[in-house]
Amino acid sequence: MATTKTLDQLLLKELRRELRNRDLKMSGNKETLQARLREDLVKEKEDPDTYLFEVEPDLQEQMAAMQGHMAAMQGQIVSSIQEQMAAMREQMNSGQENTNYKIDKMDSGIKTELLAMNQRIHAVEERITTIEEQMNQRVYAVEKKIEEIKTQVYRDFTKMQKANVMSIVPEAFMKVKPPVFDGSVSWSVYKLQFDAAAKVNQWNSDEEKATALILSLRGKASELLQSIPNPQDYAALVKTMELRYGDEYLSELYRVKLKTRRQQSNETLRELEADIARLAHLAYPTATQDLLEIIITDAFADALRDPELKKAIRVSGKHKASEALVYALLYQAAKDESEKIYQDQRLEVKDKGRRELRKTNEALEKCRTTQIPQGQRGEG
């Protein structure tokens, strides 16, 4: 578990490790290293006297202490065997049962952890299944609604053809054909193109413009025609398109996507940060760079799947997206390495305990079979 220290509390090896992380020179005595690190903190606008460094525990020292503890334990076991041989022979069965109980208790703890993990995984799987079912129902409802709208639009278009609306803009008079609009591009950009075509083609009346715009709509954009009481009302038609596909609508849409963005199971931290930055620029096109950095950092923390990493990002005080990403990558790497070391140490301690127990049982069995009873000595 990491601890925090001030600059004056850092050991020589901790000073060198911090300088190496900052790509600074690591040569010199302790005072030189402190002065070099203090100068770098001042450049970062940090207070060298109050700044707290996160110091990871020295794994070699932990392993050495553990080995010393195991050696002392082994010496105590051997001494106890030599001093209390007679008593151990009488209490062999009870001692064996006590040892087996400890091992069983350890195995029981591991089984309990595995059972709890399986239960959490099962709960997540059930939640995913529920969400998938809800999404399938929504998709089915949307597809059904789209089919109904397509049918209605086809009927309306057929009525327009019967009313000979096409004759309002004769094909021979149309010099420039306006591009189609399906809602995938910005409405403001398309409106400029449409106005240019209307000017070249000399569409002076709103009825001519409305007819040309109706014929240019495709896909979901054309489905909005059924929501307009009079599609030939050019002002109402343009207003409906602006409300649905204008820049303000797209910004609001991207804000919703940014707020609900969550990290996928197979998505890396770099991929998540890049997509968060893209959505933030689209959602807030007029925001300053400093404000965008704060928005991206907050959205990045909210989107993280790991609650511990999410909390660490928030308390780290990072206000730039690049710094938050680097911090998250370092935190994730350290966490993965710590979990691996913990698992290896636990397995090693358990294996050593079993080996020491086996040696102790073998020594006891050897002493029991080779020792001559006191009664037979007197007779001899």
Side-chain angles (χ1 to χ4, degrees):
M1 180 177 181
T3 59
T4 57
K5 292 183 178 181
T6 62
L7 178 60
D8 295 333
Q9 293 174 341
L10 292 178
L11 301 177
L12 183 59
K13 60 182 179 180
E14 295 170 346
L15 286 169
R16 290 176 176 171
R17 185 185 307 151
E18 186 65 24
L19 290 171
R20 183 176 63 250
N21 293 337
R22 295 169 178 262
D23 294 330
L24 299 176
K25 293 183 179 180
M26 298 180 289
S27 60
N29 55 23
K30 184 176 181 179
E31 289 75 16
T32 303
L33 300 183
Q34 286 179 337
R36 191 174 298 152
L37 187 54
R38 179 181 295 273
E39 181 181 354
D40 190 66
L41 287 175
V42 172
K43 291 180 179 180
E44 295 178 353
K45 298 182 179 180
E46 298 286 352
D47 188 355
D49 297 326
T50 60
Y51 186 84
L52 296 179
F53 296 87
E54 292 186 358
V55 180
E56 297 293 338
D58 195 326
L59 298 179
Q60 294 181 353
E61 294 179 358
Q62 291 184 351
M63 292 299 296
M66 186 178 295
Q67 290 176 357
H69 180 68
M70 292 298 299
M73 184 182 298
Q74 183 176 3
Q76 293 177 358
I77 293 175
V78 174
S79 176
S80 178
I81 292 174
Q82 293 175 351
E83 296 176 358
Q84 301 180 7
M85 185 67 69
M88 293 180 70
R89 183 178 57 184
E90 296 176 357
Q91 299 177 0
M92 185 182 300
N93 294 332
S94 61
Q96 181 69 35
E97 293 175 356
N98 186 37
T99 303
N100 291 336
Y101 170 76
K102 292 181 179 179
I103 295 176
D104 293 337
K105 186 176 181 180
M106 184 182 298
D107 293 337
S108 176
I110 296 175
K111 292 179 180 179
T112 302
E113 293 179 2
L114 292 175
L115 180 60
M117 184 179 296
N118 291 332
Q119 290 176 351
R120 290 195 294 268
I121 293 175
H122 181 67
V124 172
E125 291 176 346
E126 290 182 348
R127 184 177 179 183
I128 292 175
T129 302
T130 303
I131 293 175
E132 289 178 348
E133 292 176 354
Q134 293 176 353
M135 290 299 297
N136 290 334
Q137 293 176 357
R138 293 180 180 179
V139 169
Y140 174 77
V142 171
E143 291 177 347
K144 184 178 179 181
K145 185 65 176 179
I146 290 175
E147 292 298 326
E148 294 175 356
I149 293 174
K150 286 182 178 180
T151 303
Q152 184 63 35
V153 170
Y154 177 77
R155 293 175 181 173
D156 294 341
F157 185 75
T158 303
K159 292 179 181 179
M160 292 171 60
Q161 285 183 325
K162 292 180 179 179
N164 199 18
V165 175
M166 297 288 291
S167 61
I168 297 178
V169 184
E171 183 177 356
F173 185 74
M174 184 179 292
K175 301 177 183 178
V176 178
K177 184 177 181 181
V180 298
F181 180 77
D182 57 1
S184 60
V185 298
S186 173
W187 167 255
S188 59
V189 175
Y190 176 80
K191 185 64 167 50
L192 292 175
Q193 296 175 328
F194 183 84
D195 290 340
K199 183 177 181 180
V200 172
N201 296 328
Q202 298 181 0
W203 297 335
N204 298 321
S205 66
D206 289 344
E207 187 176 7
E208 292 176 330
K209 295 179 181 179
T211 302
L213 181 57
I214 290 173
L215 298 178
S216 300
L217 299 179
R218 298 289 187 275
K220 293 184 178 181
S222 63
E223 296 172 1
L224 292 177
L225 292 174
Q226 66 175 358
S227 63
I228 304 175
N230 182 15
Q232 291 299 317
D233 186 348
Y234 181 69
L237 181 59
V238 171
K239 183 178 180 180
T240 301
M241 292 299 164
E242 288 178 347
L243 292 175
R244 182 62 177 84
Y245 296 107
D247 293 338
E248 184 177 356
Y249 164 79
L250 293 178
S251 298
E252 186 64 25
L253 177 63
Y254 287 122
R255 289 173 190 171
V256 174
K257 289 184 178 181
L258 180 63
K259 186 177 181 180
T260 58
R261 182 69 165 85
R262 294 296 180 268
Q263 184 182 13
Q264 304 299 320
S265 58
N266 59 345
E267 188 177 26
T268 65
L269 293 174
R270 296 181 185 275
E271 293 172 347
L272 176 63
E273 190 274 341
D275 191 54
I276 290 291
R278 180 185 66 84
L279 292 175
H281 282 86
L282 293 173
Y284 302 95
T286 60
T288 63
Q289 185 61 32
D290 293 339
L291 179 58
L292 278 176
E293 290 288 347
I294 297 175
I295 293 173
I296 295 172
T297 303
D298 291 342
F300 176 70
D302 291 336
L304 292 172
R305 298 175 66 248
D306 187 349
E308 295 181 358
L309 177 56
K310 180 184 299 186
K311 182 179 179 181
I313 291 292
R314 293 198 176 282
V315 301
S316 66
K318 305 297 183 183
H319 299 296
K320 290 186 177 181
S322 58
E323 295 177 353
L325 175 61
V326 172
Y327 185 89
L329 292 172
L330 293 175
Y331 182 93
Q332 189 64 45
K335 181 179 179 182
D336 294 342
E337 184 65 20
S338 299
E339 291 179 352
K340 182 178 182 300
I341 293 174
Y342 171 74
Q343 294 294 337
D344 294 341
Q345 289 179 348
R346 186 172 66 173
L347 292 175
E348 182 179 357
V349 170
K350 185 175 180 180
D351 292 340
K352 285 185 176 181
R354 290 182 180 275
R355 288 196 297 269
E356 293 295 334
L357 177 62
R358 185 167 57 253
K359 290 180 180 179
T360 301
N361 292 336
E362 291 174 357
L364 291 175
E365 183 65 21
K366 183 177 181 180
C367 292
R368 185 182 66 82
T369 56
T370 57
Q371 186 178 13
I372 302 175
Q374 296 292 334
Q376 295 183 5
R377 288 183 179 179
E379 293 176 359

